[in-house]
Amino acid sequence: MTPPDRPASPSRVFARLKRIERRHVAAVLRTETVGGALLIAFALLGLLWANSPWRASYDTVKNTVVGPHLWHLDLSLADWAADFLLAFFFLVAGIELKHELQAGELSNPRAAALPVVSALCGMIVPIGVYLAVSAGHTNAGEGWAVPTATDIAFALAVLAVVGQNLPSALRAFLLTLAVVDDLGAIIIIAIAYTDSIDTGALVIAAVLLLAFYVVQRMRITSLWLNVPLGLAIWIAVHASGVHATVAGVAIGLMLRGRRHGDSDEDHDDELQSPAEKVQWRLQPFSAGFCVPVFAIMSAGVYVGGKTLGSLVSDQIPLAIAAGLFIGKAVGVFGGAYLTARFTRAELSDELQWRDIAAVSALTGVGFTVSLLIAELGFSDSPDVLNLAKGGVLLGSLASALFAVVLLRRRDRFYDQLCTAEESEDSELVLGRE
């Protein structure tokens, strides 16, 4: 008989998770693993296409304009991928954030302190590394935010493949940290990469968001109302000058996350809340289509001519790669350690700081959001943008490879630990017989 879950100590940030939380983390890991594999495959396809004899067709496809001029919707296919498809990615991220705030690590202020501080330090330190390496470069100020992001799909895919024996709490920590990281990235995009604001469109977006919130509180689940309302919010945000992916996070946070029957006032039960239903339906679409299409559109870094030499000599790609590889690992681990050192938060007895170090290295896999920020920051400098994307690929690859080495060591450690415990249990049973 399986023993009941014991309540976690409020001061232990990596204590045993509740059963419902373990199931939620497992479900996300399964989906993101597949999405991460597709992300890698499509990124490689885009890279090969951009460096093949058919390079001209790659540029043609990216720059093909589709859509009406009304509301500035005459976008290239590359812009549709970045503005519209990634909005679904951030919508799912918004739902994940809402879940973490209501039932996950972020619902406990003491437990939330460690992943939140880790995420913040994991954004601040890479910025410092980037600015130090790129100091003096003409375009340095355009890409300071590029190495601040962690690619949740890529990172979880790596962790699932090489860390099968690692404690589930460590996976939950990475998921929570990545969700906070995504929120920080979208705030940076909304504030730092918005050139001009259409006040009228922004007011319309705010009114539509309020209407969506009211619809959710009234428990109206009709797709004929919610889908057009969500699309209208995206159009208004896009027309306002704020990056349209912000609409995805806002809608995700507005979705009702609790089911009927969760309170004494409810008399009709739901199997899933609206947020859970949307996540269940959209996560495969986001991970299996939206993010891979964006990857093939954005990862096409041309490395011919002098570009390859510039990737290892120009300050911009080196600064981005260093920010991801060094800044993320140092920032995340340092934030976690200092939080545990100077607050009541402490590691579970089942984990060691070596586990946190391995996961911290994995957060340097920036990719999706880093590529998006690079396109926003260097949009007026195509040659520098190409180098910046190369820096994202180099930093993400170096982080992934280094993290794989560390995670494999920790995975073998826990595998040997489990084997030893099973052996001791067997001997104990035989002794009793």
PDB file of all heavy atoms in Angstrom, residues 121-139:
ATOM      1  N   CYS A 121      18.191  36.364 -10.587  1.00  0.00           N
ATOM      2  CA  CYS A 121      19.659  36.387 -10.683  1.00  0.00           C
ATOM      3  C   CYS A 121      20.116  35.789 -12.007  1.00  0.00           C
ATOM      4  O   CYS A 121      21.136  36.210 -12.575  1.00  0.00           O
ATOM      5  CB  CYS A 121      20.279  35.620  -9.520  1.00  0.00           C
ATOM      6  SG  CYS A 121      20.054  36.410  -7.909  1.00  0.00           S
ATOM      7  N   GLY A 122      19.349  34.804 -12.491  1.00  0.00           N
ATOM      8  CA  GLY A 122      19.660  34.196 -13.776  1.00  0.00           C
ATOM      9  C   GLY A 122      19.367  35.099 -14.954  1.00  0.00           C
ATOM     10  O   GLY A 122      19.657  34.738 -16.107  1.00  0.00           O
ATOM     11  N   MET A 123      18.782  36.254 -14.707  1.00  0.00           N
ATOM     12  CA  MET A 123      18.588  37.262 -15.745  1.00  0.00           C
ATOM     13  C   MET A 123      19.558  38.431 -15.566  1.00  0.00           C
ATOM     14  O   MET A 123      20.064  38.978 -16.542  1.00  0.00           O
ATOM     15  CB  MET A 123      17.137  37.764 -15.719  1.00  0.00           C
ATOM     16  CG  MET A 123      16.099  36.674 -15.956  1.00  0.00           C
ATOM     17  SD  MET A 123      14.401  37.266 -15.884  1.00  0.00           S
ATOM     18  CE  MET A 123      14.282  38.102 -17.465  1.00  0.00           C
ATOM     19  N   ILE A 124      19.823  38.795 -14.318  1.00  0.00           N
ATOM     20  CA  ILE A 124      20.679  39.949 -14.043  1.00  0.00           C
ATOM     21  C   ILE A 124      22.144  39.639 -14.364  1.00  0.00           C
ATOM     22  O   ILE A 124      22.838  40.440 -15.015  1.00  0.00           O
ATOM     23  CB  ILE A 124      20.529  40.381 -12.573  1.00  0.00           C
ATOM     24  CG1 ILE A 124      19.106  40.891 -12.316  1.00  0.00           C
ATOM     25  CG2 ILE A 124      21.549  41.459 -12.226  1.00  0.00           C
ATOM     26  CD1 ILE A 124      18.812  41.168 -10.864  1.00  0.00           C
ATOM     27  N   VAL A 125      22.635  38.488 -13.898  1.00  0.00           N
ATOM     28  CA  VAL A 125      24.054  38.153 -14.113  1.00  0.00           C
ATOM     29  C   VAL A 125      24.399  38.025 -15.592  1.00  0.00           C
ATOM     30  O   VAL A 125      25.431  38.557 -16.041  1.00  0.00           O
ATOM     31  CB  VAL A 125      24.428  36.873 -13.336  1.00  0.00           C
ATOM     32  CG1 VAL A 125      25.874  36.468 -13.634  1.00  0.00           C
ATOM     33  CG2 VAL A 125      24.244  37.089 -11.839  1.00  0.00           C
ATOM     34  N   PRO A 126      23.578  37.343 -16.424  1.00  0.00           N
ATOM     35  CA  PRO A 126      23.887  37.296 -17.860  1.00  0.00           C
ATOM     36  C   PRO A 126      23.955  38.677 -18.511  1.00  0.00           C
ATOM     37  O   PRO A 126      24.768  38.898 -19.418  1.00  0.00           O
ATOM     38  CB  PRO A 126      22.730  36.474 -18.440  1.00  0.00           C
ATOM     39  CG  PRO A 126      22.282  35.616 -17.325  1.00  0.00           C
ATOM     40  CD  PRO A 126      22.437  36.464 -16.101  1.00  0.00           C
ATOM     41  N   ILE A 127      23.100  39.599 -18.059  1.00  0.00           N
ATOM     42  CA  ILE A 127      23.160  40.958 -18.594  1.00  0.00           C
ATOM     43  C   ILE A 127      24.521  41.585 -18.269  1.00  0.00           C
ATOM     44  O   ILE A 127      25.149  42.227 -19.123  1.00  0.00           O
ATOM     45  CB  ILE A 127      22.023  41.823 -18.012  1.00  0.00           C
ATOM     46  CG1 ILE A 127      20.662  41.336 -18.525  1.00  0.00           C
ATOM     47  CG2 ILE A 127      22.218  43.295 -18.379  1.00  0.00           C
ATOM     48  CD1 ILE A 127      19.485  42.038 -17.881  1.00  0.00           C
ATOM     49  N   GLY A 128      24.982  41.395 -17.026  1.00  0.00           N
ATOM     50  CA  GLY A 128      26.292  41.921 -16.643  1.00  0.00           C
ATOM     51  C   GLY A 128      27.417  41.320 -17.456  1.00  0.00           C
ATOM     52  O   GLY A 128      28.331  42.025 -17.904  1.00  0.00           O
ATOM     53  N   VAL A 129      27.363  40.002 -17.675  1.00  0.00           N
ATOM     54  CA  VAL A 129      28.392  39.330 -18.482  1.00  0.00           C
ATOM     55  C   VAL A 129      28.365  39.852 -19.912  1.00  0.00           C
ATOM     56  O   VAL A 129      29.411  40.144 -20.512  1.00  0.00           O
ATOM     57  CB  VAL A 129      28.178  37.804 -18.458  1.00  0.00           C
ATOM     58  CG1 VAL A 129      29.124  37.107 -19.445  1.00  0.00           C
ATOM     59  CG2 VAL A 129      28.383  37.254 -17.051  1.00  0.00           C
ATOM     60  N   TYR A 130      27.159  39.984 -20.463  1.00  0.00           N
ATOM     61  CA  TYR A 130      27.019  40.485 -21.842  1.00  0.00           C
ATOM     62  C   TYR A 130      27.611  41.886 -21.973  1.00  0.00           C
ATOM     63  O   TYR A 130      28.372  42.166 -22.908  1.00  0.00           O
ATOM     64  CB  TYR A 130      25.541  40.491 -22.245  1.00  0.00           C
ATOM     65  CG  TYR A 130      25.282  41.203 -23.555  1.00  0.00           C
ATOM     66  CD1 TYR A 130      25.371  40.531 -24.766  1.00  0.00           C
ATOM     67  CD2 TYR A 130      24.966  42.571 -23.576  1.00  0.00           C
ATOM     68  CE1 TYR A 130      25.148  41.196 -25.970  1.00  0.00           C
ATOM     69  CE2 TYR A 130      24.739  43.236 -24.767  1.00  0.00           C
ATOM     70  CZ  TYR A 130      24.823  42.549 -25.963  1.00  0.00           C
ATOM     71  OH  TYR A 130      24.617  43.208 -27.151  1.00  0.00           O
ATOM     72  N   LEU A 131      27.254  42.779 -21.059  1.00  0.00           N
ATOM     73  CA  LEU A 131      27.726  44.157 -21.137  1.00  0.00           C
ATOM     74  C   LEU A 131      29.240  44.233 -20.972  1.00  0.00           C
ATOM     75  O   LEU A 131      29.902  45.070 -21.603  1.00  0.00           O
ATOM     76  CB  LEU A 131      27.036  45.010 -20.072  1.00  0.00           C
ATOM     77  CG  LEU A 131      25.524  45.219 -20.263  1.00  0.00           C
ATOM     78  CD1 LEU A 131      24.948  46.004 -19.080  1.00  0.00           C
ATOM     79  CD2 LEU A 131      25.231  45.939 -21.575  1.00  0.00           C
ATOM     80  N   ALA A 132      29.797  43.362 -20.128  1.00  0.00           N
ATOM     81  CA  ALA A 132      31.253  43.375 -19.917  1.00  0.00           C
ATOM     82  C   ALA A 132      31.992  42.925 -21.177  1.00  0.00           C
ATOM     83  O   ALA A 132      33.003  43.529 -21.566  1.00  0.00           O
ATOM     84  CB  ALA A 132      31.608  42.469 -18.742  1.00  0.00           C
ATOM     85  N   VAL A 133      31.489  41.872 -21.820  1.00  0.00           N
ATOM     86  CA  VAL A 133      32.172  41.331 -23.004  1.00  0.00           C
ATOM     87  C   VAL A 133      31.969  42.217 -24.223  1.00  0.00           C
ATOM     88  O   VAL A 133      32.868  42.363 -25.060  1.00  0.00           O
ATOM     89  CB  VAL A 133      31.686  39.896 -23.291  1.00  0.00           C
ATOM     90  CG1 VAL A 133      32.331  39.343 -24.569  1.00  0.00           C
ATOM     91  CG2 VAL A 133      31.999  38.978 -22.115  1.00  0.00           C
ATOM     92  N   SER A 134      30.763  42.823 -24.328  1.00  0.00           N
ATOM     93  CA  SER A 134      30.452  43.613 -25.529  1.00  0.00           C
ATOM     94  C   SER A 134      30.799  45.090 -25.376  1.00  0.00           C
ATOM     95  O   SER A 134      30.491  45.891 -26.270  1.00  0.00           O
ATOM     96  CB  SER A 134      28.960  43.489 -25.856  1.00  0.00           C
ATOM     97  OG  SER A 134      28.164  44.050 -24.809  1.00  0.00           O
ATOM     98  N   ALA A 135      31.417  45.483 -24.278  1.00  0.00           N
ATOM     99  CA  ALA A 135      31.726  46.896 -24.019  1.00  0.00           C
ATOM    100  C   ALA A 135      32.511  47.508 -25.181  1.00  0.00           C
ATOM    101  O   ALA A 135      33.517  46.953 -25.631  1.00  0.00           O
ATOM    102  CB  ALA A 135      32.527  47.023 -22.720  1.00  0.00           C
ATOM    103  N   GLY A 136      32.032  48.643 -25.657  1.00  0.00           N
ATOM    104  CA  GLY A 136      32.708  49.339 -26.740  1.00  0.00           C
ATOM    105  C   GLY A 136      32.168  49.040 -28.119  1.00  0.00           C
ATOM    106  O   GLY A 136      32.448  49.768 -29.074  1.00  0.00           O
ATOM    107  N   HIS A 137      31.378  47.975 -28.246  1.00  0.00           N
ATOM    108  CA  HIS A 137      30.803  47.627 -29.561  1.00  0.00           C
ATOM    109  C   HIS A 137      29.674  48.598 -29.898  1.00  0.00           C
ATOM    110  O   HIS A 137      28.879  48.980 -29.041  1.00  0.00           O
ATOM    111  CB  HIS A 137      30.283  46.194 -29.533  1.00  0.00           C
ATOM    112  CG  HIS A 137      30.014  45.636 -30.898  1.00  0.00           C
ATOM    113  ND1 HIS A 137      28.910  45.992 -31.653  1.00  0.00           N
ATOM    114  CD2 HIS A 137      30.705  44.740 -31.662  1.00  0.00           C
ATOM    115  CE1 HIS A 137      28.939  45.332 -32.799  1.00  0.00           C
ATOM    116  NE2 HIS A 137      30.017  44.574 -32.835  1.00  0.00           N
ATOM    117  N   THR A 138      29.581  48.963 -31.163  1.00  0.00           N
ATOM    118  CA  THR A 138      28.578  49.936 -31.591  1.00  0.00           C
ATOM    119  C   THR A 138      27.159  49.476 -31.298  1.00  0.00           C
ATOM    120  O   THR A 138      26.286  50.275 -30.923  1.00  0.00           O
ATOM    121  CB  THR A 138      28.717  50.207 -33.103  1.00  0.00           C
ATOM    122  OG1 THR A 138      30.056  50.595 -33.390  1.00  0.00           O
ATOM    123  CG2 THR A 138      27.755  51.299 -33.543  1.00  0.00           C
ATOM    124  N   ASN A 139      26.883  48.177 -31.462  1.00  0.00           N
ATOM    125  CA  ASN A 139      25.527  47.647 -31.304  1.00  0.00           C
ATOM    126  C   ASN A 139      25.304  46.957 -29.958  1.00  0.00           C
ATOM    127  O   ASN A 139      24.322  46.222 -29.794  1.00  0.00           O
ATOM    128  CB  ASN A 139      25.231  46.642 -32.426  1.00  0.00           C
ATOM    129  CG  ASN A 139      25.368  47.242 -33.807  1.00  0.00           C
ATOM    130  OD1 ASN A 139      26.410  47.103 -34.457  1.00  0.00           O
ATOM    131  ND2 ASN A 139      24.332  47.930 -34.252  1.00  0.00           N
TER     132      ASN A 139
END
